[in-house]
Amino acid sequence: MIEMGLKDYIFVTGASGIGKTTLANGLLEHYKTTCIEQNMIPEFISRDGVEPMTGELEELTCWENLVAMLKCFHKLGYKNIIASDIDDLRTADIPIVFKGSNYITIKLVSSDFEQIREQMKNRPNNGLIDYELQQKTNDKNLTREPLVNEVEIDVAGKTIEEVLKEAIEIIDTRESLLDYEYVKPPKELFYSWVFANGLR
């Protein structure tokens, strides 16, 4: 029996600057569990000190480390483990890697691109401002059909508090599928920071 409002994993996805970290931090404060982001992966230069690091290998290393950390926390009994800052292309792997787990993906989108452009422009510590990446990711997310256990929240016109409240309501009431048929969508429906996959 699955206890409502108690997930194994909560994934937060969306375009750069749309509010993923803000939402993840709000969820962390609400659920009092743990939050894992890709930027927590230790620095690495090469596998053997000689071989050059390619974009694909860098992305694969980050993804595999993220998955390992998530599963480690789960093995130790943690619930509502929040994961954010995932390469959009990897969103399609979540239903494969985490099948059988009680997980949910909150996909943030905005029907008002100017809103997330402003959010990105005003984000703290002057993070990388890549409006082309931001718009292309958001456009792809807006047109792509939801994946298994994925719920979309349009942040347009909403405050941080309203988005958080909506996400919590979804997490606490939406029952996740544990057993399902899933065909991984074509990579063209996703965006990625890995230059070599032809999506950028």
Side-chain angles (χ1 to χ4, degrees):
M1 182 74 177
I2 295 175
E3 183 179 341
M4 297 300 283
L6 200 59
K7 298 285 191 276
D8 292 325
Y9 307 100
I10 301 167
F11 295 95
V12 180
T13 65
S16 298
I18 201 165
K20 296 188 299 295
T21 298
T22 301
L23 176 58
N25 288 338
L27 293 173
L28 177 60
E29 177 64 26
H30 178 78
Y31 290 113
K32 311 290 189 205
T33 56
T34 185
C35 180
I36 301 172
E37 293 192 333
Q38 183 174 291
N39 61 20
M40 296 175 180
I41 307 302
E43 290 295 321
F44 52 93
I45 300 172
S46 76
R47 288 191 284 197
D48 59 5
V50 177
E51 174 191 25
M53 180 62 64
T54 64
E56 293 98 329
L57 180 56
E58 180 183 358
E59 190 278 333
L60 177 63
T61 302
C62 288
W63 169 248
E64 293 291 345
N65 272 271
L66 185 68
V67 169
M69 285 197 296
L70 290 169
K71 292 192 173 185
C72 177
F73 272 95
H74 183 261
K75 183 179 177 181
L76 292 171
Y78 287 77
K79 293 292 183 181
N80 287 338
I81 303 165
I82 303 155
S84 188
D85 195 28
I86 299 167
D87 189 25
D88 186 52
L89 189 62
R90 285 297 178 182
T91 305
D93 290 324
I94 292 172
I96 298 171
V97 176
F98 296 94
K99 184 175 182 178
S101 300
N102 181 17
Y103 75 89
I104 191 163
T105 301
I106 304 294
K107 179 176 72 168
L108 300 182
V109 298
S110 181
S111 54
D112 178 7
F113 178 69
E114 286 306 311
Q115 177 178 327
I116 57 173
R117 187 183 179 102
E118 284 302 309
Q119 287 174 195
M120 193 171 198
K121 189 186 299 182
N122 297 320
R123 70 196 305 189
N125 65 39
N126 296 318
L128 176 64
I129 298 179
D130 187 338
Y131 295 121
E132 180 189 1
L133 171 63
Q134 184 184 39
Q135 183 160 13
K136 286 184 177 180
T137 305
N138 188 61
D139 288 347
K140 283 185 178 289
N141 281 336
L142 276 170
T143 57
R144 176 176 61 74
E145 289 296 314
L147 305 174
V148 177
N149 295 331
E150 183 178 60
V151 182
E152 186 176 286
I153 296 180
D154 188 346
V155 303
K158 295 175 184 172
T159 64
I160 291 171
E161 293 74 21
E162 287 171 334
V163 173
L164 176 61
K165 183 179 178 181
E166 185 174 347
I168 291 169
E169 175 71 16
I170 291 167
I171 292 163
D172 288 350
T173 61
R174 182 69 62 102
E175 187 171 349
S176 299
L177 296 173
L178 301 181
D179 188 26
Y180 46 78
E181 296 296 322
Y182 175 70
V183 177
K184 187 175 176 179
K187 67 179 183 179
E188 288 74 22
L189 296 179
F190 301 86
Y191 208 79
S192 177
W193 56 266
V194 183
F195 285 66
N197 66 16
L199 297 183
R200 184 167 191 188

